Amino acid sequence: MPFLRNAWYIAALSKEIEGTALIGRTLLGEGVLIYRLRSGECVALRDRCPHRFAPLHMGTRVDDDVVCPYHALRFDPSGRCVHNPHGNQKIPAAAKVHRYRTVERYGLLWIWMGEPERADDSKIVDCSRLEIGHPNGVAYGYMRFDANYKLIVENILDLSHADHVHGLIISTRGELSKLIPKMHAEDRYVTARWDWKQTPAQQVVASFLPNPEAEARQFAEVHWHAPSNMLVTVGATQSADPKDVLQTWDYHFMTPETESSTHYFFASRRTANWIEEDAQYNQLKVTAMLQAFEREDGPLISAIQKEMGSSDFWSLNPVLLSSDPAPVRARRALEKLINEEASAGQASQPGT
Amino acid sequence: MPFLRNAWYIAALSKEIEGTALIGRTLLGEGVLIYRLRSGECVALRDRCPHRFAPLHMGTRVDDDVVCPYHALRFDPSGRCVHNPHGNQKIPAAAKVHRYRTVERYGLLWIWMGEPERADDSKIVDCSRLEIGHPNGVAYGYMRFDANYKLIVENILDLSHADHVHGLIISTRGELSKLIPKMHAEDRYVTARWDWKQTPAQQVVASFLPNPEAEARQFAEVHWHAPSNMLVTVGATQSADPKDVLQTWDYHFMTPETESSTHYFFASRRTANWIEEDAQYNQLKVTAMLQAFEREDGPLISAIQKEMGSSDFWSLNPVLLSSDPAPVRARRALEKLINEEASAGQASQPGT
Amino acid sequence: MPFLRNAWYIAALSKEIEGTALIGRTLLGEGVLIYRLRSGECVALRDRCPHRFAPLHMGTRVDDDVVCPYHALRFDPSGRCVHNPHGNQKIPAAAKVHRYRTVERYGLLWIWMGEPERADDSKIVDCSRLEIGHPNGVAYGYMRFDANYKLIVENILDLSHADHVHGLIISTRGELSKLIPKMHAEDRYVTARWDWKQTPAQQVVASFLPNPEAEARQFAEVHWHAPSNMLVTVGATQSADPKDVLQTWDYHFMTPETESSTHYFFASRRTANWIEEDAQYNQLKVTAMLQAFEREDGPLISAIQKEMGSSDFWSLNPVLLSSDPAPVRARRALEKLINEEASAGQASQPGT
């Protein structure tokens, strides 16, 4: 199944694109060169010289341009060749590389791999929560993972796995599993929400509540936005006052590298009442999120990927449980969007 | 070429299935979960949760049931889901995994990967020799090997390689190669037998004979039973009395893991007159068998597998020698059985 | 795209084929056994026993024959089976392996993988320069490289990369890049030549000139002979007398191992006036050539191979620069020869 191309994906965390570094990263099966101009603006170019196909990220940076490592064609940030040291130095008309539309927003570099004229940055999902509050209350992370991105989307969209895969720190001790989540879905997004009470609250939040041992009202809401941008909001409170709610916003962004590997970016923000200014706690939380995925979800998802092989998901006749309507709806919605794009001939790949 | 499914294969050695262990093993390309009930009975289930396809062997054991590692569906030994912790906890009708027919016999777990109603345990090959005699006179071994199972079958069915591949301990110093083995074949089995004299006998047996330096009468008989269960009987004597014959029964069981890898099980038994009670000798013999295959036959068979690639054996126009009628007959018989199964539509895979 | 079979390739350096060694090497996708007879003559046989397809190079050498490691069929240097230790010891008529036509010349073993009756050793390219002069003035090298051979051919045929990929020792500091090379091409060969002046000369030669800091006239000529035998001649002088020219002849021979890997042989000779007798300098030069390719061209060519994947070169619409006519002409010429061979049914593979 092809990738949805007319969509915004994350290419990199802002903090990854530092100094004069030339970053080569495969996105949707396509080599992309990412770097930051002296002005601070980010650039994403097709990472393949049009002459002999050498990856430009192996080349050198000269001012805001990049010089091919093989025969030294020099490309400016628009992707235009601006210098050819060979022969009469005339620049062939075809000597250019595609520049992808990008937007740097919320500490993330967003990239549009589809038809440039359809790129509309007002369609970038709202992650403004990341920018509200003390700088110590936000954190970013990245890992590369060997599995199809849809398996990770479904893992997050069905939080009912948390009680069974993860340890005591985030387990609801079975409370969440019992619920039938409320779902809301549109063409390009799906939301699932769980509300419950437990005594005491999840360990991760209990000690920050007024009465750590007492009952708390909790909720978790997962929002999927096609193709693979997600927000998980979780909260807990023992008060009737909304401002007392302890809450986190965890953003998960899955960008396909290939059919069977994924760039997994995440970003997290806490409310002010949840030791927002504690940078050490912040670091601990990001490390814990990384480790939970790598040690707990990750090995399972890898094993599932291996078991599925190249089989179509539906051909394996999956049994559906009470938390499956949301992930199933998201998978169907994504398949529909991809099919529409394919049949409209919109899947043209300008970068290749 | 598909595998013969309506047949008994070895899934594991009995001694591998210990305590509460959940063993995941790919057999005929299919993930199988193997474990032992508290009653001692063995169970083999399709190792794939029907919900999200997680391997059940990564899960946990609860009493005689197994709990999926991903969303905690619980399956009993019949493969039926007996607990669903999600939502209204109703168990979907399709929430079950195939239980394979198994029989534990002769220290081995036999498995039937084909149509359950055709499983007939009277068709399991007779290995009762393993159970006659002192417990120290029997030994079991297992190794996994990267080659198609048919190449290993043919290696064993043509003992004429022994003089050329193996060292002095089991070499007949050319005596066996010279013979044209007697062959007997039916639809599902082939036997090849060599009888000869040599002075002195093979090193492995000579020192146990009354006169180690003198001539001995020897024989070797290889029996193949479709698809890949084999018995090699070898003996030596200097007496006219049948009870004086020094004899071993070596069982070799090849269970395909994939098209290019094999689970190789073996079991060995000696006659009482061959230091049957010497446990140390027994251990030595098993270790030597493992090493001989790994160091001598193994590298050759791997190289042949690589050379053959995905070519059909017959398309390579093999030259046939005097010991080839038996392996050729076995290969043809197996191909015929597989083709019959395919054309009768009997190759349905209940576990998938 | 298939390989050109009716052509001379290098199978090995003469010095690799020593003593009683049996060398197994895959050439044009085919396993080849190479060894040297007691008479000094070299032999190249199909490295696959016709019985059970074991590689003969894993066997043993007996006098001038080779004995299969599996069942001990013995083959003489003509590829004929001369001993079968099995049964009545009759040798099956089909028990033979193909012997490739080979010629040992210029310190290299040339092999013909196509139709034997078309092998004409007068068509072997002239490398007689290697044999003129002091023995210390010639050197040989070999490396195996993971890329299609045509990418290496093109790398050498377009010397304009030297200023951009390699370090100061062989850089012309941009002088060569500026030139439009003179090209001469025929059906089976292409020559490109650059002539220029620079002050001082390339580092690699400058210190051997009368006035190391002064201007020198330099030239480089690359000759490609189908399918992949190449000669690079470079020279520098500050004199009008031809005998004063400092000159090297670097032969590069690319023999395809598979579609994506190459045996890369090279041989180098210097003129007498370039410290020809200095064996240490010679060793240094060969090491430097190996290192330059491995560290500088190699990673680029591997990355290009990966980027191209299985795409056809032309389908990627390469932009052409002033030094590209020669590599483009060579690629087109080779494609034409391969297509002609295929359409004439000349691509029969006698060794398989």
Side-chain angles (χ1 to χ4, degrees):
Chain A
M1 171 146 268
F3 301 115
L4 190 69
R5 296 192 68 86
N6 285 322
W8 290 104
Y9 292 91
I10 304 300
L13 304 178
S14 286
K15 68 176 183 180
E16 290 183 284
I17 318 162
E18 298 253 293
T20 58
L22 298 174
I23 299 171
R25 183 165 279 171
T26 298
L27 306 174
L28 284 63
E30 216 164 281
V32 177
L33 163 69
I34 302 162
Y35 66 104
R36 191 180 290 282
L37 302 182
R38 289 167 302 178
S39 65
E41 189 189 351
C42 282
V43 175
L45 301 177
R46 181 69 173 96
D47 190 19
R48 178 167 86 185
C49 180
H51 172 225
R52 288 274 162 185
F53 319 130
L56 295 177
H57 80 268
M58 294 173 78
T60 49
R61 171 86 180 258
V62 176
D63 298 334
D64 279 350
D65 300 341
V66 59
V67 176
C68 176
Y70 204 174
H71 296 84
L73 292 188
R74 178 172 169 170
F75 299 89
D76 77 6
S78 76
R80 208 165 44 92
C81 179
V82 292
H83 182 58
N84 165 17
H86 301 278
N88 62 12
Q89 310 207 0
K90 203 183 150 198
I91 293 167
K96 55 191 175 195
V97 292
H98 179 70
R99 177 175 180 174
Y100 301 93
R101 292 287 306 273
T102 54
V103 176
E104 190 170 14
R105 193 181 287 177
Y106 313 127
L108 303 160
L109 184 68
W110 300 80
I111 191 166
W112 181 268
M113 308 282 288
E115 297 161 282
E117 62 278 14
R118 295 171 65 95
D120 174 357
D121 61 14
S122 74
K123 298 288 174 56
I124 289 175
V125 293
D126 180 13
C127 309
S128 53
R129 254 294 155 194
L130 291 172
E131 297 177 336
I132 300 171
H134 193 280
N136 288 359
V138 69
Y140 293 86
Y142 165 70
M143 75 179 99
R144 194 193 154 282
F145 194 74
D146 276 319
N148 182 279
Y149 67 110
K150 286 176 281 190
L151 295 179
I152 308 177
V153 165
E154 290 174 322
N155 169 264
I156 297 164
L157 205 37
D158 173 13
L159 287 187
S160 74
H161 77 275
D163 287 339
H164 313 294
V165 172
H166 298 299
L168 278 177
I169 288 173
I170 64 168
S171 171
T172 70
R173 298 187 293 281
E175 295 300 331
L176 187 146
S177 293
K178 283 187 234 159
L179 305 174
I180 295 177
K182 287 186 281 292
M183 178 175 77
H184 178 70
E186 299 281 346
D187 282 358
R188 300 183 77 93
Y189 68 85
V190 174
T191 300
R193 184 182 170 96
W194 294 258
D195 287 275
W196 74 99
K197 293 176 185 170
Q198 69 175 83
T199 311
Q202 284 174 289
Q203 275 190 17
V204 70
V205 70
S207 61
F208 300 101
L209 288 167
N211 188 346
E213 301 302 325
E215 183 186 77
R217 296 200 313 282
Q218 296 205 227
F219 74 91
E221 188 174 291
V222 185
H223 181 78
W224 167 81
H225 190 282
S228 46
N229 301 321
M230 305 184 74
L231 168 58
V232 181
T233 317
V234 297
T237 191
Q238 290 170 330
S239 143
D241 186 343
K243 78 168 166 37
D244 291 335
V245 177
L246 290 159
Q247 191 166 339
T248 63
W249 294 266
D250 291 337
Y251 293 86
H252 303 249
F253 307 102
M254 274 63 67
T255 306
E257 181 186 58
T258 66
E259 191 60 35
S260 59
S261 60
T262 300
H263 299 289
Y264 188 174
F265 304 95
F266 61 89
S268 182
R269 160 65 72 182
R270 291 189 309 289
T271 43
N273 55 4
W274 193 333
I275 53 170
E276 184 193 27
E277 299 185 20
D278 188 333
Q280 200 181 349
Y281 182 84
N282 218 14
Q283 187 52 51
L284 205 73
K285 185 167 187 295
V286 172
T287 304
M289 283 177 72
L290 271 165
Q291 286 184 350
F293 190 82
E294 281 181 345
R295 297 181 186 171
E296 294 168 351
D297 309 88
L300 283 176
I301 292 174
S302 289
I304 289 168
Q305 171 81 68
K306 197 176 162 199
E307 177 66 32
M308 291 180 66
S310 57
S311 302
D312 171 67
F313 178 76
W314 303 110
S315 75
L316 300 176
N317 298 316
V319 165
L320 301 180
L321 304 181
S322 56
S323 287
D324 279 311
V328 162
R329 180 69 183 257
R331 185 179 273 267
R332 293 284 194 202
L334 183 56
E335 288 170 351
K336 187 161 177 282
L337 290 167
I338 290 171
N339 288 335
E340 281 168 4
E341 193 172 275
S343 61
Q346 293 169 1
S348 66
Q349 300 184 25
T352 50
Chain B
M1 171 145 265
F3 301 115
L4 189 69
R5 296 192 68 86
N6 285 323
W8 290 103
Y9 291 92
I10 304 300
L13 305 177
S14 287
K15 68 176 183 180
E16 290 183 284
I17 318 162
E18 297 254 291
T20 58
L22 298 175
I23 299 170
R25 185 165 279 171
T26 298
L27 306 174
L28 283 64
E30 217 165 281
V32 177
L33 164 69
I34 302 161
Y35 66 103
R36 192 179 290 283
L37 303 182
R38 290 167 301 177
S39 65
E41 189 189 352
C42 281
V43 175
L45 301 177
R46 182 67 173 98
D47 189 20
R48 178 167 86 185
C49 180
H51 172 225
R52 288 275 161 184
F53 319 129
L56 296 177
H57 81 268
M58 293 174 77
T60 49
R61 170 88 180 257
V62 176
D63 298 335
D64 279 349
D65 300 340
V66 59
V67 177
C68 177
Y70 203 174
H71 297 85
L73 293 188
R74 177 172 170 168
F75 299 89
D76 76 6
S78 77
R80 207 165 45 93
C81 179
V82 292
H83 181 59
N84 165 17
H86 300 279
N88 62 13
Q89 309 208 359
K90 202 182 151 198
I91 293 166
K96 56 190 175 196
V97 291
H98 179 70
R99 177 175 180 174
Y100 301 92
R101 292 287 305 273
T102 53
V103 175
E104 190 171 15
R105 193 180 288 176
Y106 312 127
L108 303 159
L109 184 67
W110 300 80
I111 191 167
W112 181 268
M113 308 281 289
E115 297 160 282
E117 62 278 14
R118 294 169 65 95
D120 174 357
D121 61 13
S122 74
K123 297 289 173 58
I124 289 175
V125 293
D126 181 13
C127 310
S128 53
R129 254 296 157 194
L130 292 172
E131 298 178 337
I132 300 170
H134 192 280
N136 288 359
V138 70
Y140 293 85
Y142 165 71
M143 76 180 98
R144 193 193 155 282
F145 194 74
D146 276 320
N148 182 279
Y149 67 110
K150 285 176 282 189
L151 294 179
I152 308 177
V153 165
E154 290 174 321
N155 169 264
I156 297 164
L157 204 38
D158 172 13
L159 287 187
S160 73
H161 77 276
D163 287 340
H164 313 294
V165 172
H166 298 299
L168 278 177
I169 289 173
I170 63 169
S171 172
T172 70
R173 299 188 291 281
E175 295 299 332
L176 186 145
S177 293
K178 285 187 232 159
L179 305 174
I180 294 178
K182 288 185 280 291
M183 178 176 78
H184 178 69
E186 299 280 348
D187 282 358
R188 301 182 77 94
Y189 68 85
V190 174
T191 300
R193 185 182 169 96
W194 295 258
D195 287 275
W196 74 98
K197 292 176 185 172
Q198 70 175 82
T199 310
Q202 284 174 289
Q203 275 190 15
V204 71
V205 71
S207 61
F208 300 100
L209 288 167
N211 187 346
E213 301 301 324
E215 182 187 77
R217 295 197 316 280
Q218 295 205 229
F219 74 92
E221 188 174 291
V222 185
H223 182 78
W224 167 82
H225 190 282
S228 45
N229 301 321
M230 304 184 74
L231 168 59
V232 181
T233 317
V234 295
T237 191
Q238 291 170 330
S239 142
D241 186 342
K243 79 166 167 39
D244 290 336
V245 178
L246 290 159
Q247 190 164 339
T248 63
W249 293 265
D250 291 337
Y251 293 86
H252 302 250
F253 306 101
M254 274 63 67
T255 306
E257 181 185 60
T258 66
E259 191 59 35
S260 59
S261 59
T262 300
H263 299 288
Y264 187 175
F265 303 95
F266 61 89
S268 182
R269 160 65 72 182
R270 290 190 308 290
T271 42
N273 54 4
W274 193 335
I275 52 170
E276 185 192 26
E277 299 185 20
D278 187 332
Q280 200 181 349
Y281 182 84
N282 219 13
Q283 187 52 50
L284 205 74
K285 185 166 186 298
V286 172
T287 304
M289 283 177 72
L290 271 165
Q291 286 185 349
F293 191 81
E294 281 181 345
R295 296 180 186 173
E296 294 168 352
D297 309 88
L300 283 176
I301 292 174
S302 289
I304 289 168
Q305 172 82 68
K306 197 175 161 199
E307 177 66 31
M308 290 180 67
S310 56
S311 301
D312 172 68
F313 178 75
W314 302 111
S315 75
L316 299 176
N317 298 315
V319 165
L320 300 180
L321 304 181
S322 56
S323 286
D324 279 311
V328 162
R329 180 68 184 257
R331 185 179 274 267
R332 293 286 193 200
L334 182 56
E335 288 171 351
K336 186 161 178 282
L337 290 168
I338 290 171
N339 288 335
E340 282 169 3
E341 194 172 273
S343 61
Q346 293 169 1
S348 65
Q349 300 183 25
T352 50
Chain C
M1 172 146 265
F3 301 115
L4 189 69
R5 296 192 69 86
N6 285 323
W8 290 103
Y9 291 92
I10 304 300
L13 303 177
S14 286
K15 69 176 183 180
E16 291 182 284
I17 318 162
E18 298 253 292
T20 58
L22 298 174
I23 299 171
R25 184 165 278 171
T26 297
L27 306 175
L28 284 63
E30 217 164 280
V32 177
L33 164 69
I34 301 161
Y35 66 103
R36 192 180 289 283
L37 302 182
R38 290 167 299 178
S39 65
E41 188 189 355
C42 282
V43 175
L45 300 177
R46 181 70 173 96
D47 190 19
R48 178 167 86 185
C49 180
H51 172 225
R52 289 274 162 183
F53 319 130
L56 295 177
H57 80 270
M58 294 174 78
T60 48
R61 170 88 180 258
V62 176
D63 298 335
D64 279 348
D65 300 340
V66 60
V67 177
C68 176
Y70 204 175
H71 296 85
L73 291 188
R74 178 172 170 169
F75 298 89
D76 76 6
S78 76
R80 207 166 45 92
C81 179
V82 291
H83 182 59
N84 164 17
H86 300 278
N88 62 12
Q89 309 206 359
K90 203 183 152 200
I91 293 167
K96 55 191 173 192
V97 291
H98 180 69
R99 178 175 180 174
Y100 301 93
R101 292 286 307 274
T102 53
V103 175
E104 190 170 15
R105 194 179 289 176
Y106 313 127
L108 303 161
L109 184 66
W110 300 81
I111 191 166
W112 181 269
M113 308 280 289
E115 296 160 283
E117 62 278 15
R118 296 170 65 95
D120 174 356
D121 61 15
S122 74
K123 298 288 174 58
I124 289 175
V125 293
D126 181 13
C127 309
S128 53
R129 255 295 155 193
L130 292 172
E131 298 178 335
I132 301 170
H134 192 281
N136 288 359
V138 70
Y140 292 86
Y142 164 71
M143 76 179 99
R144 191 194 156 283
F145 193 74
D146 276 318
N148 182 278
Y149 67 110
K150 286 176 281 188
L151 295 179
I152 307 177
V153 165
E154 291 175 321
N155 170 263
I156 298 164
L157 204 38
D158 172 11
L159 287 187
S160 73
H161 76 275
D163 287 340
H164 312 294
V165 172
H166 299 298
L168 278 177
I169 289 173
I170 63 169
S171 173
T172 70
R173 298 187 292 281
E175 295 299 331
L176 186 146
S177 293
K178 285 187 231 157
L179 306 174
I180 295 178
K182 288 186 280 290
M183 178 176 78
H184 179 69
E186 299 280 347
D187 282 359
R188 300 184 78 93
Y189 68 85
V190 174
T191 300
R193 185 183 171 95
W194 294 258
D195 287 275
W196 74 98
K197 292 175 185 172
Q198 69 176 81
T199 312
Q202 285 174 289
Q203 275 191 16
V204 70
V205 72
S207 62
F208 300 102
L209 289 167
N211 187 347
E213 301 301 323
E215 184 187 78
R217 296 199 314 282
Q218 295 204 230
F219 75 91
E221 188 174 292
V222 185
H223 182 78
W224 167 82
H225 190 283
S228 45
N229 301 320
M230 304 184 75
L231 168 59
V232 181
T233 317
V234 295
T237 190
Q238 290 169 331
S239 143
D241 186 343
K243 77 169 168 32
D244 291 336
V245 178
L246 290 158
Q247 190 165 337
T248 63
W249 292 266
D250 291 337
Y251 293 87
H252 302 250
F253 307 102
M254 274 62 68
T255 306
E257 181 185 60
T258 65
E259 191 59 36
S260 60
S261 59
T262 300
H263 300 288
Y264 188 175
F265 303 95
F266 61 89
S268 182
R269 160 64 72 182
R270 289 189 308 289
T271 42
N273 54 4
W274 193 333
I275 53 171
E276 185 192 25
E277 299 185 19
D278 187 332
Q280 200 180 348
Y281 182 83
N282 218 15
Q283 186 52 50
L284 206 73
K285 186 168 187 296
V286 173
T287 304
M289 283 177 72
L290 272 165
Q291 285 184 351
F293 190 82
E294 280 181 346
R295 297 181 186 172
E296 294 168 352
D297 309 88
L300 282 176
I301 292 175
S302 288
I304 288 169
Q305 172 80 68
K306 196 175 163 200
E307 177 65 32
M308 291 179 67
S310 57
S311 302
D312 172 67
F313 178 75
W314 303 109
S315 76
L316 300 176
N317 298 316
V319 165
L320 301 180
L321 304 181
S322 56
S323 286
D324 280 312
V328 162
R329 180 67 184 257
R331 184 179 275 266
R332 292 285 194 201
L334 182 56
E335 288 170 351
K336 187 161 177 281
L337 290 168
I338 289 171
N339 288 334
E340 282 168 5
E341 194 173 275
S343 60
Q346 293 168 2
S348 65
Q349 300 184 24
T352 49

